[in-house]
Amino acid sequence: MEQYYKLHRVKELADNDMDFIKALAEAFLGEVPEDAQRLKTAVAESDYYNTYQAAHKMKPTIDLFELGVLEALIVVQDWGKLEKSGEDCSRELELVLAAVDRSTAEIKADFDL
């Protein structure tokens, strides 16, 4: 449990209410993987607007669950926001996507979802 994500801040926010913690985990699973796929597609298509939107939406949850890739996500977000066509954010994108995949699988197992 909690190898690829951390619940410290989630528990603090939820005041250790396990039902609320589970609801936050379900919200993570309902939004973050979908947003990560949107982010992956947007970067591949050099869709700066959707890259920025998806990354910006993911930031609070990635931060709350402490996936350890917030800085990489910000690089991807800024690539979209500032339309950095001459720069490559694929390394950072891969870090984010891998962290989301690992955390998603772990949260599903940890919460029997």
Side-chain angles (χ1 to χ4, degrees), residues 75-89:
V75 168
V76 177
Q77 174 191 267
D78 289 350
W79 179 86
K81 181 179 182 181
L82 303 173
E83 298 188 15
K84 296 182 176 183
S85 61
E87 294 185 22
D88 181 13
C89 67

Side-chain angles (χ1 to χ4, degrees), residues 19-98:
D19 290 333
F20 188 50
I21 292 168
K22 186 173 183 178
L24 289 172
E26 289 170 342
F28 179 101
L29 295 176
E31 294 183 17
V32 175
E34 182 178 311
D35 291 336
Q37 184 58 47
R38 178 178 167 211
L39 184 65
K40 180 180 179 179
T41 301
V43 170
E45 296 174 354
S46 294
D47 181 345
Y48 300 113
Y49 177 78
N50 279 308
T51 296
Y52 170 72
Q53 291 293 316
H56 185 72
K57 183 180 176 205
M58 292 171 68
K59 273 189 342 188
T61 309
I62 296 293
D63 188 34
L64 179 64
F65 280 84
E66 300 180 58
L67 270 60
V69 293
L70 184 61
E71 292 303 317
L73 183 59
I74 290 170
V75 168
V76 177
Q77 174 191 267
D78 289 350
W79 179 86
K81 181 179 182 181
L82 303 173
E83 298 188 15
K84 296 182 176 183
S85 61
E87 294 185 22
D88 181 13
C89 67
S90 59
R91 183 179 151 277
E92 290 83 3
L93 176 63
E94 287 305 316
L95 290 172
V96 171
L97 296 176

Side-chain angles (χ1 to χ4, degrees), residues 1-29 60-68 103-104 106-113:
M1 184 172 201
E2 295 183 56
Q3 181 178 352
Y4 298 113
Y5 71 97
K6 304 291 181 254
L7 284 178
H8 172 75
R9 292 175 66 201
V10 174
K11 287 178 180 177
E12 191 175 280
L13 175 70
D15 198 27
N16 286 318
D17 178 343
M18 285 310 294
D19 290 333
F20 188 50
I21 292 168
K22 186 173 183 178
L24 289 172
E26 289 170 342
F28 179 101
L29 295 176
T61 309
I62 296 293
D63 188 34
L64 179 64
F65 280 84
E66 300 180 58
L67 270 60
S103 299
T104 297
E106 189 173 34
I107 289 170
K108 283 179 182 179
D110 290 349
F111 289 91
D112 294 321
L113 299 172

